[in-house]
Amino acid sequence: LKKTQDIMASEKFYILDGHHRYETALKYYQDHPSEKTKYVLAQVCAFNQPGTVILPTHRLISGINGFGPARYLDELRLKGFDVVTLGNLADLEKNLMNCQTVAFGLVYPDTDKFYFLSLPETRGVLDLDYLHENLLSEENKVFYVRSIAEFTQELRSGRHQMGSLVRPNTYDDVILKASQGEVMPHKSTFFF
């Protein structure tokens, strides 16, 4: 154990999954300090392994008071968003991947339109930080899905008022947030 500690002492560790377990274990140790409670099991691996990617986790949203699709788009325009209407998912994904500022895809149930939302002059801001801090409220119910197929199926179910397609975060995003002493937004690092 000492040899491993010496080797790893100068390395940085990023908790990519399980930060709640870590925080719970730390709190338990602080409340009940002993040799038995001093450690927590963890899997440690290289941070940026070849072939590993971060995939997006899309959001389906309900519980928006007084919600109306056209009114919601108008409110986004008033907040400074550029709103572009697209006819297919492929164009939406292409626009999302090519945008350099905060951007989302917005889809409503029972429509064949896709909305590309971008917020000019917001470089250096994570999309999901902006979404959760400025567009969602505590009253909203957010349902998380990882695949486009599940997103489409859930949206058609009628249980959600709208869906937001999001871009994947990058390794640089994770490092930036950690260096600032912050945590990533909820459900934002699906490593595959």
Side-chain angles (χ1 to χ4, degrees), residues 43-168:
Q43 176 184 344
V44 178
C45 59
F47 181 62
N48 193 351
Q49 297 182 54
T52 302
V53 295
I54 303 174
L55 298 175
T57 301
H58 307 295
R59 276 85 170 126
L60 293 140
I61 303 145
S62 60
I64 303 171
N65 293 328
F67 180 76
R71 184 174 353 138
Y72 191 76
L73 286 172
D74 288 341
E75 289 173 11
L76 290 171
R77 285 183 185 98
L78 288 173
K79 290 181 179 188
F81 277 92
D82 291 333
V83 178
V84 177
T85 305
L86 302 166
N88 62 63
L89 186 58
D91 286 343
L92 176 56
E93 289 179 306
K94 182 179 172 184
N95 282 330
L96 282 170
M97 296 317 291
N98 290 328
C99 189
Q100 299 298 313
T101 63
V102 166
F104 310 98
L106 184 65
V107 185
Y108 295 122
D110 304 322
T111 183
D112 57 357
K113 293 179 182 174
F114 300 84
Y115 300 95
F116 170 66
L117 311 171
S118 61
L119 191 59
E121 301 179 28
T122 52
R123 291 178 186 269
V125 177
L126 294 184
D127 296 347
L128 292 175
D129 274 339
Y130 190 91
L131 177 67
H132 285 273
E133 292 170 9
N134 298 287
L135 301 181
L136 299 178
S137 70
E138 290 183 11
E139 294 82 39
N140 298 149
K141 295 177 186 82
V142 181
F143 186 79
Y144 301 93
V145 296
R146 293 188 170 142
S147 74
I148 296 293
E150 187 179 7
F151 177 87
T152 303
Q153 181 182 1
E154 270 297 322
L155 193 60
R156 289 182 183 149
S157 74
R159 292 188 289 262
H160 313 282
Q161 291 167 305
M162 65 180 187
S164 180
L165 289 166
V166 299
R167 298 183 284 196

